[in-house]
């Protein structure tokens, strides 16, 4: 079986962009798709450069997620590079 690690880079996301519309039209459908189509193959989901507002959004989105999905999500705050550099560095691999 092939496993998938997802990387979502939120660099530059501001409070203005992080609206209820963003949560309902982008974030929630993405998480639902991950749960519906890749529940067994998604190994980890990395959220790079999460803005401070993510704490509020996380509280709104968490009830929509299965515990299995919640356990796979990792917030990465201490990485200075891009998503591509994160993947290439493989510093997150077990």
């Amino acid at each position: 079986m092939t496993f998938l690690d997802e990387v979502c880079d939120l660099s530059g996301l501001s409070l203005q962009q992080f609206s209820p519309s963003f949560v309902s039209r982008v974030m929630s459908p993405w998480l639902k798709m991950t749960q519906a189509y890749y529940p067994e193959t998604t190994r980890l989901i990395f959220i790079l450069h999460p803005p401070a507002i993510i704490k509020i959004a996380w509280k709104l989105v968490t009830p929509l997620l299965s515990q299995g999905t919640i356990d796979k999500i990792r917030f990465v705050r201490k990485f200075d590079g891009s998503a591509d550099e994160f993947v290439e560095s493989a510093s997150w691999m077990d």
Side-chain angles (χ1 to χ4, degrees):
M1 181 179 277
T2 301
F3 293 98
L4 174 71
D5 291 322
E6 298 181 43
V7 178
C8 181
D9 188 354
L10 299 183
S11 294
L13 189 65
S14 69
L15 179 59
Q16 232 175 5
Q17 296 163 314
F18 209 89
S19 64
S21 176
F22 173 80
V23 171
S24 66
R25 294 176 60 198
V26 177
M27 188 174 215
S28 184
W30 170 65
L31 290 167
K32 286 179 183 177
M33 179 191 70
T34 296
Q35 290 186 111
Y37 299 109
Y38 310 105
E40 300 303 321
T41 58
T42 298
R43 190 173 66 120
L44 293 170
I45 301 169
F46 296 95
I47 309 293
L48 298 182
H49 312 113
I53 190 68
I54 198 77
K55 290 178 183 179
I56 295 168
W58 183 243
K59 288 180 183 180
L60 295 172
V61 172
T62 302
L64 305 173
L65 304 175
S66 69
Q67 187 61 49
T69 298
I70 292 168
D71 293 343
K72 294 175 184 183
I73 296 175
R74 306 287 188 274
F75 294 97
V76 181
R77 292 175 175 85
K78 296 181 180 182
F79 186 80
D80 292 330
S82 68
D84 289 337
E85 291 167 336
F86 181 78
V87 171
E88 290 172 9
S89 75
S91 61
W92 46 270
M93 291 184 71
D94 294 333

